[in-house]
Amino acid sequence: MQFKDSNPPDGGYGWVVVVSAFMVMGLTAAVLKTFCLFFVEIQQHFDELASTTSWITSVTIAVFHLGAPVASTLCVRYTHRAIVITGGLLAFSGMALGFLGLNMVWMYGTVGFLQGFGISFSWTPAISIVSHYFSKKRAFANAIASVGECAFAFTFGPFFQWLISQYGWKGALLIIGGIQLNICVCGVLMRPLASSCLLDASHSETETPPGNGASRIDKEDKSPITHKAFNWMLVRRPEFVLYAIFGILAAMSFFVPPLFLVPLSYSLGTDESWTASLLSILAIVDFAGRLLCGWYANLHITKTVHLLTMTITLISTSLMLLPLANNYLSLAIFTGFYGFFFGTTVAVHITALADVVGMPDFDSALGLFMLIRSTGGFVGPPLAGLIMDMAGDYRASFYMAGTTLVLSAGFLVTLDQIQQRKEKGSQTSTKPEKSTLLYPFLHLLKLQ
């Protein structure tokens, strides 16, 4: 019984899945990205310190990453559709219960814990099922899905601000939770590819003569039950380990620029209105970078891991140059370069993971990768803040981020070298078999 996702349609209903994933990205990652608008409102309501209030977002990010392996495990046990719908319900519950606003611990458990699991259970299977539906066009499909985060983040900023001004932060949370219920609708549209496997099995049974022992073995080998297992042993594969280390180092850098870009702008004496426009520039060029890189990767001119190494190198270069800015114009230009190359990286890094581990293990690999990568997200911002405090300049944090990305590119190069050696080894191992088969015929020709 052959799974349909072994031969992805690369189109057709797959584009419905891509649009659904686009919406899920916007209703999860974009909400998390723009939640900073609630920060001051919640802090003033509970009269708490900024560090205490910031734990709401920290818990959400932590649970989002830690829940990824759980979501991946449930995806291979059940279906992507069921887990996305569950994630939508959890996200709504977190916001709806957060509306009560009993105390800060209550906010940690609702907007932090429940919302984090809701985002994890929605984001992880949504990005995964797109890769199952596409093969040749996988990079472009993933890029289209991922830009939902940019498109929604660009519009959610002013929209959330308007909701807070009209209904207060509690009412805004309840309305946003209701909007997130649309994740369930998107989940319903994510039709499982394996739904027709029984039909394929019935065809194979009618085509195979009865009583043939080979047919029984063939059915056992192609049983979907053997596919429904989470592969924890990926941590023993050198290629996956190298890619996971790359993910840790990259995550250490990716969370730094959005955190310190605004303070750096203020330190240059930039007006608040102009500083806010830097975030809009980031969203726009990020959007363009994801689409253009996804389109280019779809041409298959460059190997995905080579393209990823190139984009990481360009990001590190832009981060090294960004601190050289001495006014708003130069800061906006370097910010644009960083945002564009960041978008190109996001467009292909999931596709590169699929190429490294293969589609049968992709669900497991995505969950483990998100879990391992979370350590970089936790360590990166505090480390950059410590370096900034020691140097007394925000520029130092950007140098730290650029240096870390250069190190991450080194692990991609090592990964590519290992893959090339394995490919050469497989090619040389097949050559002796061909020569052995031809040897008797060549020997007879020599005798004649």
Side-chain angles (χ1 to χ4, degrees), residues 142-445:
N142 277 323
I144 294 175
S146 68
V147 296
E149 175 186 343
C150 308
F152 277 73
F154 186 75
T155 56
F156 273 175
F159 176 60
F160 285 4
Q161 194 68 59
W162 179 81
L163 286 178
I164 294 172
S165 64
Q166 293 294 317
Y167 304 100
W169 68 269
K170 291 185 178 181
L173 285 182
L174 184 61
I175 294 172
I176 294 170
I179 294 173
Q180 285 184 308
L181 277 176
N182 287 286
I183 295 173
C184 300
V185 180
C186 297
V188 172
L189 295 174
M190 293 179 179
R191 188 170 64 197
L193 270 172
S195 60
S196 62
C197 61
L198 294 177
L199 182 62
D200 295 339
S202 63
H203 287 312
S204 63
E205 289 177 12
T206 56
E207 293 172 0
T208 307
N212 192 338
S215 64
R216 180 178 57 82
I217 298 173
D218 185 61
K219 292 174 190 174
E220 292 174 358
D221 291 341
K222 295 179 180 179
S223 171
I225 297 175
T226 59
H227 183 73
K228 297 291 184 180
F230 192 91
N231 187 4
W232 295 96
M233 292 299 103
L234 284 168
V235 293
R236 295 185 177 181
R237 291 173 55 175
E239 297 92 336
F240 177 77
V241 172
L242 287 170
Y243 198 81
I245 296 175
F246 151 74
I248 294 173
L249 294 173
M252 287 178 63
S253 305
F254 288 161
F255 289 94
V256 171
L259 189 63
F260 292 98
L261 181 61
V262 171
L264 176 62
S265 178
Y266 286 151
S267 69
L268 296 176
T270 308
D271 186 72
E272 290 185 6
S273 59
W274 287 104
T275 299
S277 68
L278 291 175
L279 300 179
S280 299
I281 292 173
L282 267 179
I284 294 171
V285 295
D286 186 358
F287 184 98
R290 297 189 193 206
L291 285 182
L292 287 176
C293 189
W295 168 80
Y296 177 79
N298 191 52
L299 300 177
H300 300 287
I301 298 175
T302 307
K303 191 176 178 181
T304 308
V305 69
H306 293 169
L307 183 59
L308 182 59
T309 305
M310 188 187 309
T311 60
I312 288 294
T313 305
L314 290 171
I315 292 179
S316 62
T317 303
S318 63
L319 285 176
M320 293 292 191
L321 293 174
L322 196 147
L324 300 178
N326 54 10
N327 53 47
Y328 171 80
L329 180 60
S330 57
L331 185 61
I333 292 173
F334 290 133
T335 298
F337 279 118
Y338 162 75
F340 180 83
F341 294 128
F342 175 80
T344 60
T345 300
V346 174
V348 296
H349 82 288
I350 296 296
T351 304
L353 176 61
D355 293 342
V356 168
V357 300
M359 285 312 300
D361 290 322
F362 176 69
D363 289 327
S364 304
L366 181 60
L368 287 174
F369 177 73
M370 291 292 294
L371 174 64
I372 297 171
R373 191 183 71 166
S374 65
T375 58
F378 297 149
V379 174
L383 179 60
L386 177 63
I387 293 175
M388 186 273 295
D389 290 335
M390 295 174 61
D393 193 342
Y394 287 107
R395 293 177 174 86
S397 60
F398 290 91
Y399 289 129
M400 168 264 175
T403 303
T404 308
L405 279 177
V406 171
L407 293 175
S408 71
F411 285 93
L412 289 178
V413 173
T414 306
L415 167 63
D416 181 54
Q417 292 295 321
I418 292 178
Q419 288 182 324
Q420 289 184 8
R421 288 176 185 175
K422 286 191 173 183
E423 290 175 1
K424 291 180 181 179
S426 62
Q427 291 174 0
T428 54
S429 63
T430 57
K431 288 180 180 179
E433 295 179 4
K434 294 180 180 179
S435 60
T436 304
L437 291 171
L438 294 175
Y439 178 76
F441 300 100
L442 295 173
H443 182 67
L444 288 174
L445 289 174

